[in-house]
Amino acid sequence: MLDGKSILLVVTGGIAAYKCLEVIRRVREKGARVRCILTRGGANFVTPLALGALSEDRVFQDLFSLTDEHEIGHIRLSREADVVLVAPASANVLAKMAAGQADDLATTALLATDKPIMVAPAMNPAMWAHPATRANMAILEGRGVHRVGPTEGAMAESGEWGLGRMAEPDAIVAALESLFGGAADGLLKDRRALVTSGPTHEAIDPVRYLANRSSGKQGHAVATALARLGAATTLVSGPTHQPAPAGVHLVRVETAREMLDACLAALPVDVAVMAAAVADWRPADAARNKLKKPAKGGKSGGKSAPPALKLVENPDILATLGGRNEGRPQLVVGFAAETDAVVENAVAKRRAKGCDWLVANDVSAAAATFGGDDNQVHLITADGVEEWPKISKSAVAERLAQRIAETLEPA
Ligand code: PMT
């Protein structure tokens, strides 16, 4: 998908700049050409020599360089590429892009380009969470700028933990591939896919809810993998911190009932993969106002029992899709989250839910599947049970997408 593509990589200031060297290596392995613009900030973290050596091309740094302007010029530089990738994208460059500033070569090229732009933000979590950055990012996404990351993790410079780490090189490469339509000639071109991801939140009152530990990593990876193979993919996701995968239509929901509605609205599809951890129950009646704790010293002395939570069953989205007579997706795939007797429980669950395949994973605390980067699954089909090795969630997703592509009947 990247073969023959030309990428203009803008490297701005941030400790994550070292990762862009790996991005260059990987996209070049896939046959892409890379040209780099290095900002003054970026040059504090990587050298033009390193970028030039890996890209095997000139590195551009100065807007007013007579030689560069004479030989190629910033307008041509920005337009000769098929995509402009800003990695890492600092809070500063996002702010300048949102404001349309052009005070150096990088921002001038970003303003002048007529090609898609993808940013890989990287900054301190407080800077990423700041309303100014949120607003700038919203403006840019509203203008069609693609985003990959940031992800959650430890900050190299401060030891803080949070959302702000630049996406890993393989995620950036995958996002670039999706952007180029992974699509046009992929194994799943002309196919439609529906994926669910993340937890659902079921309100108890306006400030409290029932939820679970799903991060959305596995479901989002499945949507990414299907889109990379060319499927027109709708991702219906509960609340997560995962970035919207490039090239995927993302529908954000909160509750199981909203998730069901969004899934039904996405039909018809050829394949549905339900990786969301949907709450089986919800509070029967969410209170309109915040439930109050009895005041201390009242009649009960503040010791009255907590309010009883009456639960009612949520609709089962997987069983609803699997049981449809009309408009059933050709392939309905569920995930089973089990803490014990993983395979036995999942085999029974596959039948009970009327799905074709079930991907069973161990979600006991020891397995660290919820929120973790790796997963060890069993694929359960009508033909039997296959054990897959422990691999990254992206690798599980890619393997599953490949199997789906091989299994769907010809369109
Ligand atoms: O999000 P991560 O942190 O990456 O973790 C990934 C994961 C563990 C959440 C994921 O791999 C996974 O196992 N997802 C399914 C979780 C789940 O709800 O399992 P379950 O065994 O309770 O449900 C079985 C299937 O029924 C699932 O496909 C689920 O989406 C579906 N279901 C469940 C209840 C419900 N009301 N409607 C449903 O559609």
Side-chain angles (χ1 to χ4, degrees):
M1 291 164 220
L2 293 179
D3 196 17
K5 298 287 185 223
S6 173
I7 298 167
L8 179 62
L9 172 63
V10 177
V11 182
T12 74
I15 187 76
Y18 75 92
K19 289 191 201 169
C20 75
L21 300 175
E22 183 62 12
V23 173
I24 298 174
R25 203 179 62 75
R26 295 211 192 170
V27 295
R28 290 204 66 215
E29 271 172 11
K30 289 175 182 270
R33 171 187 187 179
V34 185
R35 268 190 164 154
C36 300
I37 294 181
L38 181 61
T39 66
R40 269 176 53 192
N44 289 311
F45 297 91
V46 283
T47 65
L49 203 63
L51 294 175
L54 282 169
S55 64
E56 291 188 88
D57 209 326
R58 260 197 5 238
V59 175
F60 299 83
Q61 290 183 272
D62 189 0
L63 179 58
F64 301 112
S65 155
L66 205 54
T67 344
D68 290 352
E69 276 307 297
H70 179 67
E71 286 177 17
I72 173 158
H74 61 269
I75 303 287
R76 232 178 83 201
L77 182 63
S78 71
R79 299 210 179 139
E80 272 186 0
D82 295 298
V83 62
V84 185
L85 169 68
V86 190
S90 62
N92 184 46
V93 82
L94 296 178
K96 285 183 175 177
M97 286 167 72
Q101 279 185 24
D103 61 357
D104 63 4
L105 179 60
T107 47
T108 306
L110 283 160
L111 200 59
T113 189
D114 56 356
K115 296 299 183 326
I117 299 174
M118 178 176 288
V119 295
M123 64 198 75
N124 176 274
M127 292 167 77
W128 177 248
H130 195 285
T133 309
R134 311 297 323 132
N136 290 333
M137 198 63 243
I139 289 172
L140 294 175
E141 286 183 303
R143 286 183 200 147
V145 169
H146 301 271
R147 169 164 73 89
V148 50
T151 61
E152 206 171 20
M155 295 293 117
E157 74 285 16
S158 61
E160 280 173 66
W161 180 275
L163 197 62
R165 276 169 67 100
M166 186 168 96
E168 293 303 320
D170 61 350
I172 295 178
V173 175
L176 285 170
E177 286 181 318
S178 309
L179 189 76
F180 288 121
D185 48 6
L187 289 173
L188 289 172
K189 75 181 164 94
D190 301 330
R191 300 297 197 165
R192 288 168 58 89
L194 166 66
V195 180
T196 63
S197 183
T200 62
H201 286 183
E202 311 293 337
I204 295 171
D205 67 15
V207 298
R208 304 178 179 97
Y209 54 83
L210 293 180
N212 58 65
R213 298 179 193 277
S214 169
S215 63
K217 285 184 183 172
Q218 185 64 81
H220 279 54
V222 172
T224 304
L226 290 169
R228 280 179 68 186
L229 289 188
T233 305
T234 299
L235 171 64
V236 180
S237 175
T240 76
H241 291 300
Q242 299 305 310
V248 163
H249 174 55
L250 175 65
V251 182
R252 296 181 203 273
V253 298
E254 203 166 304
T255 67
R257 286 177 294 172
E258 288 169 6
M259 189 172 270
L260 173 65
D261 289 346
C263 286
L264 293 176
L267 298 179
V269 296
D270 298 285
V271 57
V273 183
M274 306 283 100
V278 185
D280 287 311
W281 303 281
R282 67 177 184 277
D285 294 302
R288 275 156 81 86
N289 297 315
K290 184 182 167 197
L291 296 173
K292 307 271 187 309
K293 230 170 126 178
K296 276 227 155 72
K299 264 194 196 154
S300 63
K303 291 228 171 79
S304 67
L309 260 190
K310 185 167 172 241
L311 300 178
V312 292
E313 208 168 311
N314 263 330
D316 192 308
I317 304 163
L318 176 63
T320 306
L321 295 186
R324 278 170 79 88
N325 291 325
E326 256 179 56
R328 182 188 191 276
Q330 199 189 116
L331 198 58
V332 177
V333 183
F335 268 72
E338 307 292 345
T339 53
D340 54 285
V342 175
V343 172
E344 292 84 333
N345 286 336
V347 166
K349 205 173 259 182
R350 188 187 77 86
R351 276 193 225 103
K353 300 238 183 190
C355 56
D356 303 298
W357 298 352
L358 202 63
V359 183
N361 45 204
D362 182 349
V363 292
S364 60
T369 304
F370 273 125
D373 291 328
D374 299 329
N375 203 355
Q376 200 270 303
V377 306
H378 287 83
L379 178 66
I380 294 162
T381 69
D383 298 330
V385 177
E386 255 177 53
E387 182 174 353
W388 290 8
K390 184 163 188 173
I391 45 183
S392 70
K393 285 180 176 169
S394 305
V396 169
E398 277 164 24
R399 202 164 158 167
L400 185 65
Q402 189 70 30
R403 277 296 273 279
I404 289 169
E406 289 161 6
T407 304
L408 286 178
E409 303 279 337

